[in-house]
């Protein structure tokens, strides 16, 4: 084999085509250490024929004989001994690379920054985060609650790893997955005139009625505005779902809230639901992340929990 000359590699082309892969180099190091191709094959977890084939392939790639095989075992050629020295340095460098990459993964996995619109942050995320903690007790989680526009801003600026929004559309620059479905409900205090209606509320009447609303940029307000084709000037404009609900309970006026947020109040008759005719107030709840950057590590695990 020492006289090999055909298929000698040239000096052009990709380095990946001229340098053996790590698996082949690790096999060569095992042969040098153990003096047996069969023992080296067992150490790296492949069959002896596969090991022989890999050595031959490496010899063809480099254009030199690396191993002399005999009934007494396998011995490196002079060229093989030199290549083994080089291989050891490459493998050690790869091990350092792997250790560094693992350190980066560990640092990434030690924290999770979540941004969520208010309804999801208040009524869905707490349960998901408790479940996440069971699987990742060492991951520190921070949660920023805001409207859907604020969630998008944090994701696009790199200040959050995963977001959750309630609007009709996915903000520009983000990919998404639907994780749940929701419905908006018109609610009033029991003393309000709408609480005694026998028929559903017409969409047109709702559109011209001043309501207790979330601020512009919220997913809830976006869905309602789009469904009704416009809204009257707000009766009161508040920055959280809890505040809107409290104002409605106090009798300040009608509000439109997620059914996730008002279940208890409806059951206790602190609020009364008012049916609306001629319009759908259903919406999708979405997980969002920067386009092309699928969630990894704890963000991936949290995303999987939302679909459980």
């Amino acid at each position: 084999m020492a006289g090999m000359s055909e298929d000698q590699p040239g000096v052009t082309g990709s380095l990946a085509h001229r340098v053996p892969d790590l698996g082949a180099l690790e096999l060569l190091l095992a042969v040098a250490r153990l003096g047996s191709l069969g023992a080296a094959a067992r150490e790296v977890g492949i069959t002896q024929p596969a090991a022989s084939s890999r050595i031959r392939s490496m010899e063809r790639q480099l254009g030199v004989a690396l191993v002399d095989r005999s009934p007494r075992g396998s011995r490196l050629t002079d060229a093989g001994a030199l290549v083994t020295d080089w291989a050891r340095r490459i493998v050690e460098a790869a091990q350092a690379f792997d250790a560094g990459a693992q350190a980066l993964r560990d640092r990434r996995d030690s924290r999770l920054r979540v941004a969520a619109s208010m309804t999801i942050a208040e009524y869905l995320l707490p349960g998901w985060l408790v479940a996440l903690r069971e699987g990742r007790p060492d991951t520190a989680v921070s949660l920023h609650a805001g409207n859907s526009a604020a969630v998008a801003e944090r994701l696009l600026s790199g200040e959050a790893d995963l977001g959750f929004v309630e609007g009709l559309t996915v903000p520009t620059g983000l990919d998404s997955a639907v994780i749940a479905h929701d419905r908006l409900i018109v609610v009033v205090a029991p003393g309000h005139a709408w609480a005694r209606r026998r028929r559903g509320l017409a969409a047109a009447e709702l559109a011209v009625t001043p309501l207790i609303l979330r601020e512009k940029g919220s997913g809830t307000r976006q869905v309602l505005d789009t469904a009704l084709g416009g809204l009257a000037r707000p009766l009161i404009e508040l920055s959280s779902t809890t505040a809107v609900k409290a104002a409605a309970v106090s009798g300040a006026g009608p509000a439109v809230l997620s059914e996730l947020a008002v279940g208890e109040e409806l059951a206790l008759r602190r609020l009364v639901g008012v049916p609306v005719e001629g319009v759908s107030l259903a919406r999708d709840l979405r997980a969002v992340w920067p386009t092309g950057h699928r969630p990894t590590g704890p963000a991936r695990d949290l995303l999987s929990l939302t679909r459980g």
Side-chain angles (χ1 to χ4, degrees), residues 164-185:
F164 297 95
V165 297
E166 308 158 11
L168 288 172
T169 59
V170 179
T172 302
L174 301 180
D175 287 338
S176 72
V178 174
I179 56 165
H181 303 284
D182 187 27
R183 184 169 62 95
L184 299 181
I185 300 176

Side-chain angles (χ1 to χ4, degrees), residues 115-172:
S117 52
M118 298 300 297
T119 300
I120 297 175
E122 292 181 71
Y123 299 99
L124 291 176
L125 259 173
W128 297 337
L129 293 178
V130 168
L132 179 69
R133 186 167 182 79
E134 292 178 0
R136 287 185 174 270
D138 297 327
T139 297
V141 180
S142 62
L143 170 61
H144 176 84
N147 61 37
S148 296
V151 170
E153 288 176 9
R154 293 187 77 87
L155 286 167
L156 294 172
S157 66
E159 296 177 81
D161 305 305
L162 184 64
F164 297 95
V165 297
E166 308 158 11
L168 288 172
T169 59
V170 179
T172 302

Side-chain angles (χ1 to χ4, degrees), residues 28 64-66 76-84 86:
L28 183 63
V64 294
L66 302 173
L76 296 180
T77 64
D78 290 343
L82 186 58
V83 170
T84 298
W86 298 336

Side-chain angles (χ1 to χ4, degrees), residues 22 25-26 29 86-96:
L22 279 174
L25 297 178
E26 288 179 318
L29 290 174
W86 298 336
R88 186 172 293 107
R89 298 176 205 169
I90 294 173
V91 170
E92 288 173 352
Q95 290 169 339

Side-chain angles (χ1 to χ4, degrees), residues 4-304:
M4 295 175 66
S5 59
E6 56 184 53
D7 297 328
Q8 300 260 341
V11 294
T12 60
S14 169
L15 189 63
H17 292 99
R18 304 198 307 274
V19 176
D21 62 44
L22 279 174
L25 297 178
E26 288 179 318
L27 175 62
L28 183 63
L29 290 174
V31 172
R33 186 172 62 257
L34 300 172
S36 164
L37 190 59
R42 288 191 295 273
E43 181 173 284
V44 300
I46 61 177
T47 65
Q48 183 166 340
S52 295
S53 176
R54 185 169 289 185
I55 291 293
R56 286 195 297 270
S57 177
M58 184 163 41
E59 288 174 329
R60 286 194 300 270
Q61 184 180 23
L62 296 176
V64 294
L66 302 173
V67 178
D68 282 333
R69 305 163 185 83
S70 73
R72 295 189 300 275
S74 300
R75 181 181 64 82
L76 296 180
T77 64
D78 290 343
L82 186 58
V83 170
T84 298
D85 284 340
W86 298 336
R88 186 172 293 107
R89 298 176 205 169
I90 294 173
V91 170
E92 288 173 352
Q95 290 169 339
F97 181 94
D98 180 57
Q102 182 60 51
L104 289 175
R105 288 190 294 270
D106 290 344
R107 186 172 69 180
R108 175 205 66 190
D109 293 353
S110 69
R111 69 172 188 177
L112 173 61
R113 301 166 301 166
V114 181
S117 52
M118 298 300 297
T119 300
I120 297 175
E122 292 181 71
Y123 299 99
L124 291 176
L125 259 173
W128 297 337
L129 293 178
V130 168
L132 179 69
R133 186 167 182 79
E134 292 178 0
R136 287 185 174 270
D138 297 327
T139 297
V141 180
S142 62
L143 170 61
H144 176 84
N147 61 37
S148 296
V151 170
E153 288 176 9
R154 293 187 77 87
L155 286 167
L156 294 172
S157 66
E159 296 177 81
D161 305 305
L162 184 64
F164 297 95
V165 297
E166 308 158 11
L168 288 172
T169 59
V170 179
T172 302
L174 301 180
D175 287 338
S176 72
V178 174
I179 56 165
H181 303 284
D182 187 27
R183 184 169 62 95
L184 299 181
I185 300 176
V186 178
V187 292
V188 294
H192 192 279
W194 285 1
R196 297 184 294 276
R197 292 180 66 103
R198 294 183 178 275
R199 299 180 57 184
L201 184 69
E205 184 178 355
L206 181 62
V208 297
T209 300
L211 302 171
I212 305 168
L213 292 174
R214 286 282 310 282
E215 78 287 359
K216 289 183 178 180
S218 77
T220 297
R221 183 160 172 173
Q222 180 193 56
V223 170
L224 185 61
D225 192 6
T226 301
L228 297 179
L231 294 170
R233 183 175 179 178
L235 179 65
I236 308 173
E237 193 174 74
L238 299 168
S239 61
S240 77
T241 300
T242 299
V244 172
K245 183 167 60 173
V249 169
S250 74
V256 182
L257 291 163
S258 162
E259 63 181 346
L260 295 170
V262 295
E264 181 179 350
E265 285 74 18
L266 292 174
L268 296 175
R269 292 288 297 176
R270 297 174 64 199
L271 287 173
V272 176
V274 182
V276 181
E277 297 176 346
V279 67
S280 172
L281 295 179
R283 62 179 179 175
D284 293 329
L285 306 182
R286 293 182 174 87
V288 287
W289 57 88
T291 300
H293 297 276
R294 186 79 181 178
T296 59
R300 177 196 59 222
D301 292 351
L302 179 58
L303 179 59
S304 68

